[in-house]
Amino acid sequence: MLNALIIILGLVLFEIVNSVDNAIVNAHMLKGMSPRARRWFLIWGIFIAVFIIRGVLPFLILYLTVPNVSAAELFESFLGKNDLAKKALEESSYILLIGGGMFLFLLYFHWLFLEKKETYFVPEKLVKERYGIWFFAVAAISLVVFMWLAKEKPLAMLGAATGNAVFFILYGFRQMAERKEHEIEQSKSDLAKLLFLEVLDASFSIDGVFGAFAFTINIILILIGNGIGAFVVRQLTVYGIEKVALYKWLKNGAMTSIGFLGLFMILKSFGIPIPEYLPTLITFFFVGLTFVSSHRFLKNNPNLSR
């Protein structure tokens, strides 16, 4: 129970800080929508975001990872009622772990090389924006290295390639969404805005799903942790996500923890044991450190929080 609680706490925090950017887009879009459309998004949208995206999708990913185990047997393994299915899942988990780790690695390096940010940690200060072009070199070299290290396990190589492919598919989608965002925001159609928000939310949820596997492969714990986190983010969207955005280094902590989570997943995929509490500890450390620093900055500059 203690391990489960630690994992859930880590998942909740990870989901919250990982969803801030998405919540800011949602908040801006919701301002131009009718009260009825807002209620639909906040009520039914949370159902879609939690139970379908953060519940069904992780289960489907694991089900595809262990094709010789039925859906019922897989679910029983999460409840501790089917040791054979649990063993089969653990033996095949390296495929998911290396794919998810590759995805999170690319997510971190994309932020490090290409996104504008207020620097906080040493790597951010060393990697300036003018080095952005090197992101694609890092992405390509990382894939080659991981596939070479996994050369004795063809399915692990496939997992690494899949993680790479999923990242760049989402990268292309988000680039297109950024270009369409202003156009849809100016639209008078609530339906167009709702569809845009749901699709964009699903896109960002995939980050959370892959990150969740760094904490656990138990779908029940993922559903609880990510579900609570998604609900908190929905409330922040309504009651002042802009205030959270004022914490200038909070994303630095979130993205740095994502880099470490990716590293942990890759190490686990090669059989290197990682304590169950470590992903939660790392997430709380980096997010907590940047939260405190950001809070002090706001306290010393009260005009910025008005």
Coordinates of all heavy atoms in Angstrom, one line a residue, residues 240-250 290-306:
G240 N -7.9 29.6 -12.6 CA -6.7 30.4 -12.7 C -5.4 29.7 -13.1 O -4.5 29.7 -12.3
I241 N -5.4 29.1 -14.2 CA -4.2 28.4 -14.7 C -3.1 29.4 -15.0 O -1.9 29.1 -14.9 CB -4.5 27.5 -15.9 CG1 -3.3 26.6 -16.3 CG2 -4.9 28.4 -17.1 CD1 -3.0 25.6 -15.2
E242 N -3.5 30.7 -15.3 CA -2.6 31.7 -15.6 C -1.7 32.0 -14.4 O -0.5 32.4 -14.5 CB -3.3 33.1 -16.0 CG -3.9 33.0 -17.4 CD -5.3 32.4 -17.3 OE1 -5.8 32.0 -16.2 OE2 -6.0 32.4 -18.4
K243 N -2.2 31.8 -13.2 CA -1.4 32.0 -12.0 C -0.3 31.0 -11.9 O 0.8 31.3 -11.5 CB -2.3 32.0 -10.7 CG -3.2 33.1 -10.6 CD -4.1 33.0 -9.4 CE -5.1 34.2 -9.3 NZ -5.9 34.1 -8.1
V244 N -0.6 29.8 -12.3 CA 0.4 28.7 -12.3 C 1.5 29.0 -13.3 O 2.7 28.8 -13.1 CB -0.3 27.3 -12.6 CG1 0.8 26.2 -12.6 CG2 -1.3 27.0 -11.6
A245 N 1.1 29.6 -14.4 CA 2.0 29.9 -15.5 C 3.0 31.0 -15.1 O 4.1 31.1 -15.7 CB 1.2 30.3 -16.8
L246 N 2.7 31.7 -14.1 CA 3.6 32.8 -13.6 C 4.9 32.2 -12.9 O 5.9 32.9 -12.8 CB 2.9 33.7 -12.6 CG 1.8 34.6 -13.2 CD1 1.1 35.4 -12.1 CD2 2.4 35.6 -14.2
Y247 N 4.8 30.9 -12.6 CA 5.9 30.3 -11.9 C 6.9 29.9 -13.0 O 6.9 28.8 -13.6 CB 5.5 29.0 -11.1 CG 4.8 29.4 -9.8 CD1 3.5 29.9 -9.8 CD2 5.5 29.2 -8.6 CE1 2.9 30.3 -8.6 CE2 4.9 29.5 -7.4 CZ 3.6 30.1 -7.4 OH 3.0 30.5 -6.2
K248 N 7.8 30.8 -13.3 CA 8.6 30.8 -14.5 C 9.5 29.6 -14.7 O 9.9 29.3 -15.8 CB 9.5 32.1 -14.6 CG 10.4 32.3 -13.4 CD 11.1 33.6 -13.4 CE 12.1 33.8 -14.6 NZ 12.8 35.0 -14.5
W249 N 10.0 29.0 -13.6 CA 10.9 27.8 -13.8 C 10.2 26.5 -13.5 O 10.9 25.4 -13.5 CB 12.1 28.0 -12.8 CG 13.0 29.1 -13.1 CD1 13.6 29.4 -14.3 CD2 13.3 30.2 -12.3 NE1 14.3 30.5 -14.3 CE2 14.1 31.1 -13.0 CE3 12.9 30.6 -11.0 CZ2 14.7 32.3 -12.5 CZ3 13.5 31.7 -10.4 CH2 14.3 32.6 -11.2
L250 N 8.9 26.5 -13.3 CA 8.2 25.2 -13.0 C 8.3 24.2 -14.2 O 8.5 23.0 -13.9 CB 6.7 25.5 -12.8 CG 5.9 24.4 -12.2 CD1 6.5 24.0 -10.8 CD2 4.4 24.8 -12.0
T290 N 12.1 23.9 -8.4 CA 11.8 25.0 -9.3 C 10.6 25.7 -8.8 O 10.4 26.9 -9.1 CB 11.6 24.5 -10.7 OG1 10.7 23.4 -10.7 CG2 12.9 24.0 -11.3
F291 N 9.6 25.0 -8.2 CA 8.5 25.7 -7.6 C 8.9 26.7 -6.5 O 8.4 27.9 -6.5 CB 7.5 24.7 -7.0 CG 6.3 25.3 -6.4 CD1 5.2 25.7 -7.1 CD2 6.3 25.6 -5.0 CE1 4.1 26.3 -6.5 CE2 5.2 26.2 -4.4 CZ 4.0 26.5 -5.2
V292 N 9.7 26.3 -5.6 CA 10.2 27.2 -4.5 C 10.9 28.4 -5.1 O 10.7 29.5 -4.7 CB 11.1 26.4 -3.5 CG1 11.7 27.3 -2.5 CG2 10.2 25.3 -2.8
S293 N 11.8 28.1 -6.0 CA 12.6 29.2 -6.6 C 11.7 30.2 -7.3 O 11.8 31.4 -7.2 CB 13.6 28.7 -7.6 OG 14.6 27.9 -7.0
S294 N 10.7 29.7 -8.1 CA 9.7 30.5 -8.8 C 8.9 31.3 -7.8 O 8.6 32.5 -8.0 CB 8.8 29.7 -9.7 OG 9.6 29.0 -10.6
H295 N 8.5 30.7 -6.7 CA 7.7 31.4 -5.7 C 8.4 32.5 -5.1 O 7.9 33.6 -4.8 CB 7.2 30.4 -4.6 CG 6.3 30.9 -3.6 ND1 5.0 31.3 -3.9 CD2 6.5 31.3 -2.3 CE1 4.4 31.8 -2.8 NE2 5.3 31.8 -1.8
R296 N 9.7 32.3 -4.8 CA 10.6 33.3 -4.2 C 10.7 34.5 -5.2 O 10.7 35.7 -4.8 CB 11.9 32.8 -3.9 CG 11.9 31.9 -2.6 CD 13.3 31.3 -2.4 NE 13.3 30.4 -1.2 CZ 14.4 29.6 -0.9 NH1 15.4 29.6 -1.7 NH2 14.3 28.9 0.2
F297 N 10.9 34.1 -6.5 CA 11.0 35.2 -7.5 C 9.7 36.0 -7.5 O 9.8 37.3 -7.6 CB 11.3 34.5 -8.8 CG 11.4 35.5 -10.0 CD1 12.6 36.2 -10.2 CD2 10.3 35.8 -10.8 CE1 12.7 37.1 -11.2 CE2 10.4 36.7 -11.8 CZ 11.6 37.4 -12.0
L298 N 8.5 35.4 -7.5 CA 7.3 36.2 -7.5 C 7.1 37.0 -6.3 O 6.6 38.1 -6.3 CB 6.1 35.2 -7.6 CG 5.8 34.6 -9.0 CD1 4.7 33.6 -9.0 CD2 5.5 35.7 -10.0
K299 N 7.6 36.4 -5.1 CA 7.5 37.2 -3.9 C 8.3 38.4 -3.9 O 7.9 39.5 -3.4 CB 7.9 36.3 -2.7 CG 7.6 36.8 -1.3 CD 7.9 35.8 -0.3 CE 7.6 36.3 1.1 NZ 7.9 35.3 2.2
N300 N 9.5 38.3 -4.5 CA 10.4 39.5 -4.6 C 10.0 40.5 -5.7 O 10.5 41.6 -5.8 CB 11.8 39.0 -4.9 CG 12.4 38.2 -3.7 OD1 12.0 38.5 -2.5 ND2 13.3 37.3 -3.9
N301 N 9.1 40.0 -6.6 CA 8.6 40.8 -7.7 C 7.1 40.8 -7.8 O 6.5 40.2 -8.7 CB 9.2 40.3 -9.1 CG 10.7 40.4 -9.1 OD1 11.3 41.4 -9.5 ND2 11.3 39.3 -8.7
P302 N 6.4 41.3 -6.7 CA 5.0 41.2 -6.6 C 4.2 41.8 -7.8 O 3.1 41.4 -8.0 CB 4.7 42.0 -5.3 CG 5.8 42.9 -5.1 CD 7.0 42.2 -5.7
N303 N 4.8 42.8 -8.5 CA 4.1 43.4 -9.7 C 3.8 42.4 -10.8 O 2.9 42.5 -11.6 CB 4.9 44.5 -10.2 CG 6.3 44.1 -10.6 OD1 7.0 43.5 -9.9 ND2 6.7 44.4 -11.9
L304 N 4.6 41.3 -10.8 CA 4.4 40.3 -11.9 C 3.2 39.4 -11.7 O 2.7 38.8 -12.6 CB 5.7 39.4 -12.0 CG 7.0 40.1 -12.4 CD1 8.1 39.1 -12.4 CD2 6.8 40.7 -13.8
S305 N 2.7 39.3 -10.4 CA 1.6 38.4 -10.1 C 0.3 39.1 -10.2 O -0.8 38.6 -9.8 CB 1.8 37.8 -8.7 OG 2.0 38.8 -7.7
R306 N 0.3 40.4 -10.5 CA -1.0 41.2 -10.6 C -1.7 41.0 -11.9 O -1.0 40.8 -12.9 CB -0.7 42.7 -10.4 CG -0.2 42.9 -8.9 CD 0.2 44.4 -8.8 NE 0.7 44.6 -7.4 CZ 1.3 45.8 -7.1 NH1 1.4 46.8 -7.9 NH2 1.8 45.9 -5.9

